[in-house]
Amino acid sequence: MPPAASTITKSWPRPSGVKATKSSRRCGSLKSASGTLVGAWGVTVQPDALQSLLATTAPPGVDDDGNPKEADYARTDLVLQALLRVERHEFVPASQRASAYRNHPLPIGHGQTISQPYIVALMTDLLEPQPGDRVLEIGTGSGYQAAILSRLVAEVYSIEIISELGKQAASRLQNLGYANVSTRIADGYDGWPEAAPFDGILVTAAISHIPPPLVRQLKPGGRMIIPVGTRFQTQYLTIVEKAADGTVTTRQVIPVIFVPFTGGHQ
């Protein structure tokens, strides 16, 4: 775990090409921990080099008057701390370790990638995770997103369709001590029925539509974060919310580029 360090104030730059919209509801700044990180990270990271990582977590939402929500500040800070505590270099191939803390996606084999830290943080923040939540992740990949979630919620269930990636991620998560993460190799379209319902669902591959089985496995009051679109269309990171009465609403956040959903339903 990185040692404690001094506190600095950082602004939250928006990624290039992303415009502020009412639906994205993101603005503001936040005090965050920084400093030289050594030891368990396996690399020495100076504050300047860590800037892109610290800038990854989405800033808090605003109320109807445009004022930052204090509760969102607290949640966003927890997401940031989770990113700082999870050692990203442990989740990338040895050939990519020198780039592990840069703010861009990296290949992990089998045509898959580990998402850039900004997107991991944004999706996690949009999920609004709570300490007692049970969360389903579709697309384990390297296990990095599951590791982030594991520090924020009670239980994480993660599904990977590519057998070799799934086995590697399961072993990695176990060896690193993420005991509250359960994994399986399966087609994520069908979810994990016997473990449902879930407070939150996070999908890490783009699909042309929102899978009905996942909607059914979402608790009333829960939300799903999913990239919707295909490889040849604009994909949008989408929030799916299920009301207490079971009514489902969706809201687009930003355009994104994700690897395509694989399996029987694409």
Side-chain angles (χ1 to χ4, degrees):
M1 182 183 302
S6 58
T7 298
I8 60 172
T9 300
K10 294 199 64 60
S11 60
W12 297 92
R14 187 178 301 113
S16 59
V18 176
K19 297 180 179 179
T21 65
K22 184 176 181 180
S23 65
S24 62
R25 298 168 66 93
R26 329 303 290 174
C27 70
S29 62
L30 186 66
K31 289 186 177 180
S32 310
S34 182
T36 300
L37 307 180
V38 295
W41 286 70
V43 292
T44 299
V45 184
Q46 300 293 338
D48 288 346
L50 192 59
Q51 180 175 354
S52 63
L53 183 59
L54 286 174
T56 58
T57 306
V62 295
D63 59 24
D64 292 337
D65 296 322
N67 300 312
K69 295 180 179 178
E70 294 301 324
D72 281 358
Y73 269 111
R75 189 189 66 250
T76 299
D77 192 38
L78 289 175
V79 172
L80 174 58
Q81 295 306 316
L83 260 80
L84 290 173
R85 292 175 67 192
V86 174
E87 301 164 339
R88 193 169 186 250
H89 71 271
E90 296 282 6
F91 295 86
V92 301
S95 61
Q96 299 294 329
R97 285 199 166 196
S99 302
Y101 296 98
R102 295 177 182 172
N103 191 29
H104 56 70
L106 297 171
I108 58 173
H110 304 276
Q112 304 300 301
T113 62
I114 179 174
S115 294
Q116 69 185 94
Y118 177 87
I119 290 296
V120 172
L122 175 60
M123 293 179 72
T124 304
D125 191 56
L126 290 173
L127 194 65
E128 298 187 356
Q130 302 298 321
D133 284 356
R134 300 169 70 252
V135 172
L136 174 66
E137 178 194 26
I138 307 301
T140 312
S142 68
Y144 179 66
Q145 176 71 78
I148 298 293
L149 290 169
S150 78
R151 295 200 176 262
L152 298 166
V153 302
E155 297 175 77
V156 179
Y157 294 81
S158 187
I159 302 174
E160 174 58 53
I161 195 171
I162 300 174
S163 178
E164 188 171 343
L165 278 182
K167 291 176 181 177
Q168 291 173 354
S171 176
R172 181 179 298 116
L173 289 163
Q174 182 179 20
N175 292 339
L176 293 173
Y178 294 97
N180 63 335
V181 180
S182 299
T183 62
R184 69 161 38 167
I185 297 168
D187 188 336
Y189 188 92
D190 298 317
W192 200 320
E194 59 269 35
F198 300 99
D199 299 284
I201 298 176
L202 194 151
V203 182
T204 63
I207 188 168
S208 62
H209 60 284
I210 299 166
L214 299 185
V215 175
R216 289 194 294 269
Q217 292 172 35
L218 190 63
K219 274 186 182 179
R223 59 170 45 191
M224 182 192 318
I225 309 300
I226 179 172
V228 178
T230 68
R231 182 180 299 181
F232 305 107
Q233 298 175 336
T234 301
Q235 303 169 5
Y236 284 95
L237 196 60
T238 302
I239 300 173
V240 181
E241 295 179 289
K242 181 185 280 189
D245 63 1
T247 303
V248 175
T249 59
T250 64
R251 176 161 54 97
Q252 293 179 340
V253 182
I254 58 171
V256 291
I257 300 176
F258 274 78
V259 295
F261 204 95
T262 58
H265 305 82
Q266 300 179 37

